[in-house]
Amino acid sequence: METSSQKHSTNQEFTEIATLCKDIFVKKLSDYGTSWRIMRPTSLTDQIYIKARRIRSIEEKGEAASKINEGVEAEFIGIVNYCAIALIQLKLGSGDPITKEEATKLYEEAIADATSLMLNKNHDYDEAWRDMRVSSFTDIILQKLLRTREIENHHGKTLISEGIDANYMDMINYAIFALIKLHYGS
């Protein structure tokens, strides 16, 4: 049974990691503006796929074998941020740049939607993610990416499954769970 201290801990840890991701998003907005507005969701799905594949490669070969001096944490943060951007692009469509303030507001809305989903699922699944391995989060994210690509190939149409947006939100949540485990060892 989930105790109130565990629930508070998950909410607190999730918020702290989401804040870390947002800080990086905002700093990159200062560096690059909203140049990502040109990207279609399918391109963002592929960008997220690259990040998830790199994580899996590092997990399988070991950090020492990596030729780029960035570990899996930076890649999980990238997954969170690219998924939020993809949610924004699904909402707005690709197009002209927007203000940094509007981008930040839309980012916060995307993360809030993912957080709400996490709270509901975490309640129903009773903190099961805490017993999972980080490598399992990587595999689930890769699976969700393959599902997303398949749905994209069907022009967003599904017969029974959740849509593309739900998959992006799930990937945000799994990436944040992985970051919690990497940061807090929970």
Side-chain angles (χ1 to χ4, degrees):
M1 186 74 181
E2 181 178 311
T3 67
S4 61
S5 65
Q6 284 176 314
K7 189 175 186 181
H8 176 72
S9 179
T10 295
N11 294 343
Q12 180 180 349
E13 291 168 348
F14 197 91
T15 299
E16 288 172 7
I17 295 297
T19 300
L20 169 73
C21 294
K22 178 185 168 191
D23 289 345
I24 301 231
F25 175 81
V26 169
K27 287 176 183 169
K28 290 203 175 201
L29 270 180
S30 292
D31 289 346
Y32 305 129
T34 58
S35 57
W36 46 264
R37 287 283 296 128
I38 195 74
M39 295 182 80
R40 292 170 283 196
T42 53
S43 297
L44 289 161
T45 299
D46 288 344
Q47 183 65 40
I48 298 161
Y49 180 77
I50 290 167
K51 295 199 164 295
R53 285 300 306 246
R54 181 165 186 272
I55 293 167
R56 187 162 179 174
S57 175
I58 291 171
E59 288 171 348
E60 290 175 351
K61 296 175 188 171
E63 193 108 15
S66 177
K67 297 199 180 238
I68 300 171
N69 195 19
E70 276 188 348
V72 297
E73 288 186 32
E75 300 297 353
F76 279 118
I77 291 168
I79 289 171
V80 170
N81 289 343
Y82 275 116
C83 284
I85 289 169
L87 288 166
I88 293 168
Q89 293 298 79
L90 282 175
K91 185 176 189 175
L92 301 181
S94 58
D96 294 328
I98 56 177
T99 66
K100 292 175 190 172
E101 294 76 22
E102 186 178 1
T104 302
K105 179 181 174 274
L106 290 165
Y107 177 92
E108 290 168 348
E109 289 173 6
I111 297 298
D113 289 345
T115 301
S116 178
L117 178 66
M118 179 278 297
L119 291 170
N120 291 335
K121 284 186 173 185
N122 197 41
H123 174 269
D124 289 353
Y125 288 103
D126 200 26
E127 299 269 319
W129 69 271
R130 289 202 180 268
D131 295 325
M132 294 174 65
R133 298 173 186 96
V134 172
S135 60
S136 294
F137 296 132
T138 305
D139 290 351
I140 292 169
I141 290 168
L142 282 164
Q143 176 197 40
K144 297 239 172 236
L145 284 161
L146 294 175
R147 287 179 179 181
T148 301
R149 290 168 95 178
E150 193 67 26
I151 295 168
E152 289 169 343
N153 290 342
H154 294 116
H155 308 288
K157 307 249 187 296
T158 60
L159 296 176
I160 192 168
S161 305
E162 297 174 311
I164 293 170
D165 59 340
N167 282 288
Y168 285 137
M169 285 191 284
D170 282 344
M171 287 185 267
I172 287 171
N173 291 333
Y174 284 118
I176 291 178
F177 286 156
L179 287 162
I180 289 170
K181 291 193 78 84
L182 292 167
H183 275 257
Y184 303 106
S186 318

